[in-house]
Amino acid sequence: MSARIIDGKARAERLTAEVREQVAARVAAGRSAPGLAVVLVGENAASQVYVRNKRKTTDGVGMSSFAYDLPATCSQGELLALIDRLNADPAVHGVLVQLPLPKQIDADAVTERIDPRKDVDGLHPLNMGRLVLKRPLLRPCTPAGCMVLLRETGEDLVGKHAVVIGQSNIVGRPMALELLMARCTVTVCHSATRDLPAIAREADILVAAVGKPAFVQGEWVKPGAIVIDVGVNRTAAGKLCGDVDFAAAKGRAGWITPVPGGVGPMTIAMLLANTLRAAELQDA
């Protein structure tokens, strides 16, 4: 068996094209272009790459892009004051503060300061709470993108056993909630999980989000399973790789996402979709 590849890049391009068309229609109708403010604090190399890609893609779909690059010495008070200004600015429909933040800044306080209607990361407690209650508005981008890719397979997700490896607020927890809404049976694993390989081998859907290169071994994959690799890591040689041993897992899985070209492009596409959705919510 050799797994079929879930092409996240191609699916993201289609979604991005749909957003571009909707933005153009919105502007043609006399409404403002959705505006996304991306705030970068410090000079984390990976964050700089992510932010540059987000800003470029935002411009490419006809949205207004607002860039705020703050020094690593920025205080929490200064960052919160900027968020307050962005919350009050009608030209800004989405606010994204790139993580991680310098140690002097409380990331939770920053997330909670963003207006929930402008929380295009979907991480504000109000948006996470709505996801828990099965009434989502703005959904966390990466898990929402993973669900699009799962549906891209054409497989019926109802009743499948989904195993999520990782319990972060950004991916693992909201991913489990998204899978529950799709009526999967969900198991969430973490660093204290006993006999993780055995649990992984029971998964019809295996989602890896731990941030460790090739952490999930091929033998952990149930034959025919759908494998969603959220991880983006660099090897000592500088090569990008995921949390799954791709070559080994591909020989057992039914479907698998590559790294790069899988979940990553979908995350940015979902950010654009969330920004458009945020603009529509603020019009209402």
Side-chain angles (χ1 to χ4, degrees):
M1 175 186 294
S2 182
R4 287 165 285 184
I5 302 299
I6 308 173
D7 191 339
K9 183 179 179 181
R11 184 64 184 89
E13 287 174 351
R14 296 202 305 274
L15 178 55
T16 300
E18 292 167 12
V19 171
R20 185 183 298 111
E21 291 175 3
Q22 292 175 56
V23 169
R26 174 186 173 86
V27 173
R31 291 180 289 169
S32 62
L36 174 63
V38 179
V39 181
L40 176 64
V41 183
E43 299 179 351
N44 180 284
S47 292
Q48 289 176 326
V49 172
Y50 296 147
V51 166
R52 184 165 60 248
N53 289 339
K54 289 169 183 175
R55 290 170 177 167
K56 180 180 178 181
T57 310
T58 301
D59 292 335
V61 297
M63 294 183 178
S64 299
S65 178
F66 304 94
Y68 296 88
D69 294 340
L70 306 179
T73 55
C74 173
S75 71
Q76 180 165 308
E78 290 170 327
L79 179 54
L80 293 179
L82 172 59
I83 292 172
D84 289 343
R85 294 197 298 274
L86 298 175
N87 283 341
D89 188 343
V92 175
H93 299 97
V95 177
L96 184 152
V97 179
Q98 182 66 42
L99 300 176
L101 291 167
K103 61 183 179 181
Q104 75 271 16
I105 298 175
D106 180 349
D108 290 338
V110 169
T111 298
E112 292 184 27
R113 193 65 161 250
I114 297 171
D115 183 337
R117 298 176 306 159
K118 298 189 177 188
D119 169 39
V120 289
D121 257 342
L123 301 178
H124 188 282
L126 186 145
N127 284 319
M128 289 289 280
R130 291 191 67 100
L131 186 60
V132 170
L133 297 174
K134 299 186 290 186
R135 296 167 53 199
L137 284 178
L138 297 175
R139 307 159 96 129
C141 296
T142 298
C146 289
M147 294 307 299
V148 172
L149 294 180
L150 282 169
R151 295 190 172 99
E152 191 75 359
T153 67
E155 301 278 352
D156 183 4
L157 306 183
V158 175
K160 280 186 163 47
H161 182 196
V163 173
V164 180
I165 305 177
Q167 60 165 350
S168 73
N169 290 341
I170 296 173
V171 181
R173 291 170 188 260
M175 186 76 234
L177 294 169
E178 289 279 6
L179 289 162
L180 280 171
M181 281 201 298
R183 300 189 66 200
C184 296
T185 299
V186 182
T187 301
V188 179
C189 300
H190 45 74
S191 59
T193 298
R194 298 177 181 177
D195 202 357
L196 176 57
I199 295 173
R201 280 191 286 269
E202 297 175 358
D204 302 308
I205 300 169
L206 183 60
V207 181
V210 293
K212 295 181 179 180
F215 177 78
V216 175
Q217 302 299 301
E219 63 185 23
W220 296 13
V221 177
K222 178 180 178 179
I226 305 173
V227 178
I228 303 293
D229 190 349
V230 180
V232 180
N233 312 289
R234 284 198 182 273
T235 65
K239 183 180 178 181
L240 280 178
C241 69
D243 289 349
V244 177
D245 183 343
F246 180 83
K250 185 181 177 184
R252 293 173 63 89
W255 295 89
I256 192 169
T257 59
V259 178
V263 174
M266 279 305 306
T267 296
I268 295 179
M270 293 308 303
L271 172 64
L272 298 177
N274 269 359
T275 303
L276 177 59
R277 175 70 170 137
E280 293 171 345
L281 289 171
Q282 289 162 61
D283 284 345

